[in-house]
Amino acid sequence: GAAGASRRRSRKDEILEIAVGLFAARGYHGVSMDDIGAAAGVTGPALYHHFAGKEAMLVAALIPVSEGLLAGGRERATAHPDDPRAALESLIDFHVEFALANPAVIALHLHELDRLPDEPRRRIRRLQRLYVEEWVTVLTALHPGMPDGEARVLAHAAFGLMNSTPFLGGEVDRRRRAELLRGATLAALLA
């Protein structure tokens, strides 16, 4: 019934989350399907019932993240059509929250894309480029006369800032960490 279906779906999600955590901690190449099975308490055949292999897991982790970033970025960038500063603040809020909520996937996104086969890699790169362009549109509205290429450099610098601390321990609580990241990023982009 319905409960079974949602339980089945969440099992697959659980396995994926465990795999993503291992990939982020040890690097994609440092993790085998056996490692993932052991961590998830699932035998080989059961694991392959859910995923064809490590590549399939990486794709399953990265595509929804890329789509989520793009959808959220578009929503934030277009929410303040006549106020690029407000649009920028909204984009920063969105990205900081996303990065703090999904640290392992953000790490994979940054470091493991090249492990993927051509087709999914191209698809993810395209989604990433479209996300960057949302930032470029807002930044060029905020800084009239700034070339797109320069705005793109700034956007990537901002991602570097915002993605830099998700694995920090608990010495600074999450709300404060988000606040510091938002302030630092905004200051960098308004400069």
Side-chain angles (χ1 to χ4, degrees):
S6 70
R7 193 161 56 243
R8 256 203 314 281
R9 186 168 60 250
S10 70
R11 187 65 187 130
K12 183 173 182 172
D13 289 341
E14 269 167 35
I15 293 168
L16 186 58
E17 198 172 309
I18 288 165
V20 164
L22 289 172
F23 292 155
R26 296 189 212 162
Y28 180 75
H29 283 309
V31 179
S32 69
M33 284 295 273
D34 285 343
D35 295 333
I36 295 163
V42 177
T43 58
L47 201 53
Y48 285 102
H49 166 77
H50 290 293
F51 296 100
K54 284 204 305 179
E55 270 178 5
M57 288 183 174
L58 199 52
V59 171
L62 292 181
I63 285 189
V65 169
S66 308
E67 289 172 341
L69 277 172
L70 178 56
R74 279 199 169 140
E75 195 181 299
R76 298 309 186 94
T78 54
H80 306 275
D82 305 315
D83 188 348
R85 161 93 189 231
L88 181 64
E89 289 182 6
S90 185
L91 271 177
I92 291 170
D93 280 351
F94 165 70
H95 191 103
V96 165
E97 279 308 312
F98 198 98
L100 290 177
N102 304 279
V105 186
I106 290 279
L108 289 184
H109 215 251
L110 295 175
H111 305 299
E112 304 288 356
L113 261 188
D114 295 337
R115 317 275 183 236
L116 289 178
D118 278 356
E119 196 287 316
R121 185 173 68 232
R122 271 199 300 270
R123 187 172 157 200
I124 290 164
R125 289 249 185 255
R126 182 170 168 274
L127 290 164
Q128 280 185 332
R129 274 197 305 275
L130 291 169
Y131 178 61
V132 171
E133 292 315 301
E134 295 298 328
W135 285 76
V136 167
T137 301
V138 169
L139 286 167
T140 51
L142 191 65
H143 299 290
M146 176 179 281
D148 281 8
E150 289 186 13
R152 214 164 281 124
V153 170
L154 277 182
H156 282 285
F159 301 152
L161 251 175
M162 293 182 291
N163 296 340
S164 63
T165 68
F167 289 105
L168 274 190
E171 67 270 17
V172 177
D173 87 322
R174 183 177 148 160
R175 196 179 311 117
R176 180 64 182 140
R177 213 179 329 159
E179 221 171 79
L180 290 167
L181 287 171
R182 285 198 302 267
T185 306
L186 187 62
L189 293 176
L190 293 177

Coordinates of all heavy atoms in Angstrom, one line a residue, residues 105-148:
V105 N 26.7 16.9 -0.4 CA 26.3 17.0 -1.8 C 27.0 18.2 -2.5 O 27.5 18.1 -3.6 CB 24.8 17.1 -2.0 CG1 24.5 17.0 -3.5 CG2 24.1 15.9 -1.3
I106 N 27.1 19.3 -1.7 CA 27.8 20.5 -2.3 C 29.3 20.1 -2.5 O 29.8 20.5 -3.5 CB 27.7 21.7 -1.3 CG1 26.3 22.2 -1.2 CG2 28.7 22.8 -1.6 CD1 25.9 23.1 -2.4
A107 N 29.9 19.4 -1.6 CA 31.3 18.9 -1.8 C 31.4 18.1 -3.0 O 32.4 18.3 -3.8 CB 31.8 18.2 -0.5
L108 N 30.5 17.1 -3.2 CA 30.6 16.3 -4.4 C 30.4 17.1 -5.7 O 31.1 16.9 -6.7 CB 29.4 15.3 -4.4 CG 29.5 14.1 -3.4 CD1 28.4 13.2 -3.5 CD2 30.9 13.4 -3.5
H109 N 29.5 18.0 -5.6 CA 29.2 18.9 -6.8 C 30.5 19.6 -7.2 O 30.7 19.8 -8.4 CB 28.2 19.9 -6.2 CG 27.2 20.3 -7.2 ND1 27.2 21.6 -7.8 CD2 26.1 19.7 -7.8 CE1 26.2 21.7 -8.6 NE2 25.5 20.6 -8.6
L110 N 31.3 20.0 -6.2 CA 32.5 20.8 -6.5 C 33.6 19.9 -7.0 O 34.4 20.3 -7.8 CB 32.9 21.5 -5.2 CG 32.0 22.6 -4.7 CD1 32.5 23.2 -3.4 CD2 31.8 23.7 -5.7
H111 N 33.7 18.7 -6.4 CA 34.9 17.9 -6.6 C 34.8 16.7 -7.5 O 35.8 16.1 -7.9 CB 35.5 17.5 -5.3 CG 35.8 18.7 -4.4 ND1 36.6 19.8 -4.8 CD2 35.3 19.1 -3.2 CE1 36.6 20.7 -3.8 NE2 35.8 20.3 -2.9
E112 N 33.6 16.1 -7.6 CA 33.5 14.8 -8.2 C 32.8 14.7 -9.6 O 32.5 13.7 -10.1 CB 32.8 13.8 -7.3 CG 33.5 13.8 -5.9 CD 34.8 13.0 -5.9 OE1 35.2 12.5 -6.9 OE2 35.5 13.0 -4.8
L113 N 32.4 15.9 -10.1 CA 31.7 15.9 -11.4 C 32.4 15.2 -12.5 O 31.8 14.5 -13.4 CB 31.4 17.3 -11.8 CG 30.1 17.9 -11.5 CD1 29.9 19.2 -12.2 CD2 29.0 17.0 -12.0
D114 N 33.7 15.3 -12.5 CA 34.5 14.7 -13.6 C 34.5 13.2 -13.6 O 34.9 12.6 -14.6 CB 35.9 15.2 -13.6 CG 36.0 16.7 -13.8 OD1 35.0 17.3 -14.5 OD2 37.0 17.4 -13.4
R115 N 34.0 12.6 -12.5 CA 33.9 11.1 -12.5 C 32.8 10.6 -13.3 O 32.6 9.4 -13.5 CB 33.7 10.6 -11.0 CG 34.5 11.3 -10.0 CD 35.9 10.7 -9.9 NE 36.6 11.3 -8.8 CZ 37.8 11.9 -9.0 NH1 38.4 11.9 -10.2 NH2 38.4 12.5 -8.0
L116 N 31.9 11.5 -13.7 CA 30.6 11.0 -14.3 C 30.8 10.8 -15.8 O 31.6 11.4 -16.5 CB 29.5 12.1 -14.1 CG 29.0 12.2 -12.7 CD1 28.0 13.3 -12.7 CD2 28.4 10.9 -12.3
P117 N 30.0 9.9 -16.4 CA 29.9 9.7 -17.8 C 29.5 11.0 -18.5 O 28.9 11.9 -17.8 CB 28.9 8.6 -18.0 CG 28.6 8.1 -16.7 CD 29.0 9.0 -15.7
D118 N 29.8 11.1 -19.8 CA 29.5 12.4 -20.5 C 28.1 12.9 -20.4 O 27.9 14.1 -20.1 CB 29.7 12.1 -22.0 CG 31.2 12.3 -22.4 OD1 32.0 12.6 -21.5 OD2 31.6 12.0 -23.6
E119 N 27.1 12.0 -20.6 CA 25.7 12.6 -20.7 C 25.3 13.2 -19.4 O 24.9 14.4 -19.3 CB 24.8 11.5 -21.1 CG 23.4 12.1 -21.6 CD 22.5 12.6 -20.5 OE1 22.4 11.9 -19.4 OE2 22.0 13.7 -20.6
P120 N 25.3 12.5 -18.2 CA 24.9 13.2 -17.0 C 25.8 14.4 -16.6 O 25.3 15.4 -16.1 CB 24.9 12.1 -15.9 CG 25.7 11.0 -16.5 CD 25.6 11.1 -18.0
R121 N 27.1 14.3 -16.9 CA 28.0 15.4 -16.6 C 27.6 16.6 -17.4 O 27.5 17.7 -16.8 CB 29.5 15.0 -16.9 CG 30.4 16.1 -16.4 CD 31.9 15.7 -16.5 NE 32.3 15.6 -17.9 CZ 32.9 14.5 -18.4 NH1 33.2 13.5 -17.7 NH2 33.3 14.5 -19.7
R122 N 27.3 16.4 -18.7 CA 26.9 17.6 -19.5 C 25.6 18.2 -19.0 O 25.5 19.4 -18.9 CB 26.7 17.2 -21.0 CG 28.0 17.3 -21.8 CD 27.7 17.3 -23.3 NE 27.0 16.1 -23.7 CZ 27.7 15.0 -24.1 NH1 29.0 15.0 -24.2 NH2 27.0 14.0 -24.5
R123 N 24.7 17.3 -18.6 CA 23.4 17.8 -18.1 C 23.6 18.6 -16.8 O 23.0 19.7 -16.6 CB 22.5 16.6 -17.8 CG 21.1 17.0 -17.4 CD 20.2 15.7 -17.4 NE 19.1 16.0 -16.5 CZ 18.3 15.0 -16.0 NH1 18.6 13.7 -16.2 NH2 17.3 15.3 -15.3
I124 N 24.4 18.1 -15.9 CA 24.7 18.8 -14.6 C 25.4 20.1 -14.8 O 25.1 21.1 -14.3 CB 25.4 17.9 -13.6 CG1 24.5 16.7 -13.2 CG2 26.0 18.7 -12.4 CD1 25.2 15.6 -12.5
R125 N 26.4 20.1 -15.7 CA 27.2 21.3 -16.0 C 26.3 22.4 -16.6 O 26.4 23.6 -16.3 CB 28.3 21.0 -17.0 CG 29.5 20.2 -16.4 CD 30.7 21.1 -16.3 NE 31.8 20.3 -15.9 CZ 32.3 20.3 -14.6 NH1 31.8 21.1 -13.7 NH2 33.4 19.6 -14.3
R126 N 25.3 21.9 -17.4 CA 24.4 22.9 -18.0 C 23.5 23.5 -17.0 O 23.3 24.7 -16.9 CB 23.5 22.2 -19.1 CG 22.6 23.1 -19.8 CD 21.9 22.5 -21.0 NE 20.8 23.4 -21.4 CZ 19.6 23.3 -20.9 NH1 19.3 22.4 -19.9 NH2 18.7 24.2 -21.3
L127 N 23.0 22.7 -16.1 CA 22.2 23.2 -15.0 C 23.0 24.2 -14.1 O 22.5 25.2 -13.7 CB 21.7 22.1 -14.1 CG 20.6 21.2 -14.7 CD1 20.4 19.9 -13.9 CD2 19.2 21.9 -14.8
Q128 N 24.3 23.8 -13.8 CA 25.1 24.7 -13.1 C 25.3 26.1 -13.8 O 25.3 27.1 -13.1 CB 26.5 24.1 -12.9 CG 26.6 23.0 -11.8 CD 28.0 22.5 -11.6 OE1 28.8 22.5 -12.5 NE2 28.3 22.1 -10.4
R129 N 25.6 26.0 -15.1 CA 25.8 27.2 -15.9 C 24.6 28.1 -15.8 O 24.7 29.3 -15.6 CB 26.1 26.9 -17.3 CG 27.6 26.6 -17.6 CD 28.0 26.7 -19.0 NE 27.1 25.9 -19.9 CZ 27.4 24.6 -20.1 NH1 28.4 24.0 -19.6 NH2 26.6 23.9 -20.9
L130 N 23.4 27.5 -15.9 CA 22.2 28.3 -15.9 C 22.0 28.9 -14.5 O 21.5 30.0 -14.4 CB 21.0 27.4 -16.2 CG 20.9 26.9 -17.7 CD1 19.8 25.8 -17.8 CD2 20.6 28.1 -18.6
Y131 N 22.4 28.2 -13.5 CA 22.3 28.8 -12.1 C 23.3 30.0 -12.0 O 22.9 31.0 -11.5 CB 22.7 27.7 -11.1 CG 22.7 28.2 -9.6 CD1 21.5 28.7 -9.1 CD2 23.8 28.1 -8.9 CE1 21.5 29.1 -7.7 CE2 23.8 28.6 -7.5 CZ 22.6 29.1 -7.0 OH 22.6 29.5 -5.7
V132 N 24.5 29.8 -12.5 CA 25.4 30.9 -12.4 C 24.9 32.1 -13.2 O 25.0 33.3 -12.7 CB 26.8 30.5 -13.0 CG1 27.7 31.7 -13.2 CG2 27.4 29.4 -12.2
E133 N 24.2 31.9 -14.3 CA 23.7 33.0 -15.1 C 22.6 33.8 -14.3 O 22.4 35.0 -14.5 CB 23.1 32.6 -16.4 CG 24.2 32.1 -17.4 CD 25.5 33.0 -17.4 OE1 25.3 34.2 -17.7 OE2 26.6 32.5 -17.1
E134 N 21.9 33.1 -13.4 CA 20.9 33.9 -12.6 C 21.7 34.9 -11.7 O 21.2 36.0 -11.5 CB 20.1 32.9 -11.7 CG 19.2 31.9 -12.4 CD 18.1 32.6 -13.2 OE1 17.7 33.7 -12.8 OE2 17.8 32.1 -14.3
W135 N 22.8 34.5 -11.2 CA 23.6 35.4 -10.4 C 24.2 36.5 -11.2 O 24.2 37.7 -10.8 CB 24.8 34.6 -9.7 CG 24.3 33.8 -8.5 CD1 23.6 32.6 -8.6 CD2 24.5 34.1 -7.1 NE1 23.4 32.1 -7.3 CE2 23.9 33.0 -6.4 CE3 25.1 35.1 -6.5 CZ2 23.8 33.0 -5.0 CZ3 25.0 35.1 -5.1 CH2 24.4 34.1 -4.4
V136 N 24.6 36.1 -12.5 CA 25.2 37.1 -13.4 C 24.2 38.2 -13.7 O 24.5 39.4 -13.7 CB 25.8 36.4 -14.6 CG1 26.1 37.5 -15.7 CG2 27.0 35.6 -14.3
T137 N 23.0 37.8 -13.9 CA 21.9 38.8 -14.3 C 21.7 39.8 -13.1 O 21.6 41.0 -13.4 CB 20.6 38.0 -14.6 OG1 20.8 37.1 -15.6 CG2 19.5 39.0 -14.9
V138 N 21.7 39.3 -11.9 CA 21.5 40.1 -10.8 C 22.7 41.0 -10.5 O 22.6 42.2 -10.3 CB 21.1 39.3 -9.5 CG1 21.2 40.1 -8.2 CG2 19.8 38.6 -9.7
L139 N 23.9 40.5 -10.7 CA 25.1 41.2 -10.4 C 25.3 42.3 -11.4 O 25.7 43.4 -11.1 CB 26.3 40.3 -10.4 CG 26.4 39.5 -9.1 CD1 27.5 38.4 -9.3 CD2 26.8 40.3 -7.9
T140 N 25.0 42.1 -12.7 CA 25.2 43.1 -13.7 C 24.1 44.2 -13.6 O 24.3 45.3 -13.9 CB 25.1 42.5 -15.2 OG1 24.0 41.7 -15.3 CG2 26.4 41.7 -15.4
A141 N 22.9 43.8 -13.0 CA 21.9 44.8 -12.7 C 22.4 45.7 -11.6 O 22.1 46.9 -11.5 CB 20.5 44.2 -12.4
L142 N 23.1 45.1 -10.6 CA 23.5 45.8 -9.4 C 24.7 46.7 -9.8 O 24.9 47.8 -9.2 CB 23.9 44.8 -8.4 CG 24.2 45.3 -7.0 CD1 22.9 45.9 -6.4 CD2 24.7 44.1 -6.1
H143 N 25.6 46.3 -10.7 CA 26.8 47.0 -11.1 C 26.7 47.3 -12.6 O 27.2 46.6 -13.4 CB 28.0 46.1 -10.9 CG 28.3 45.7 -9.5 ND1 28.6 46.6 -8.5 CD2 28.2 44.5 -8.9 CE1 28.8 45.9 -7.3 NE2 28.5 44.6 -7.6
P144 N 25.9 48.4 -12.9 CA 25.7 48.7 -14.3 C 27.1 48.9 -15.0 O 28.0 49.5 -14.4 CB 25.0 50.0 -14.3 CG 24.3 50.1 -13.0 CD 25.2 49.3 -12.0
G145 N 27.2 48.3 -16.2 CA 28.4 48.4 -17.0 C 29.4 47.3 -16.7 O 30.4 47.2 -17.4
M146 N 29.2 46.5 -15.7 CA 30.1 45.4 -15.4 C 29.9 44.3 -16.5 O 28.8 43.9 -16.8 CB 29.8 44.7 -14.0 CG 30.6 43.5 -13.8 SD 30.3 42.8 -12.1 CE 31.3 43.9 -11.1
P147 N 31.0 43.9 -17.2 CA 30.8 42.8 -18.2 C 30.4 41.5 -17.5 O 30.7 41.2 -16.4 CB 32.3 42.7 -18.7 CG 33.0 43.9 -18.3 CD 32.4 44.3 -17.0
D148 N 29.6 40.7 -18.3 CA 29.2 39.4 -17.8 C 30.3 38.5 -17.3 O 30.2 37.9 -16.3 CB 28.5 38.6 -19.0 CG 27.1 39.1 -19.2 OD1 26.7 40.2 -18.6 OD2 26.3 38.5 -20.0

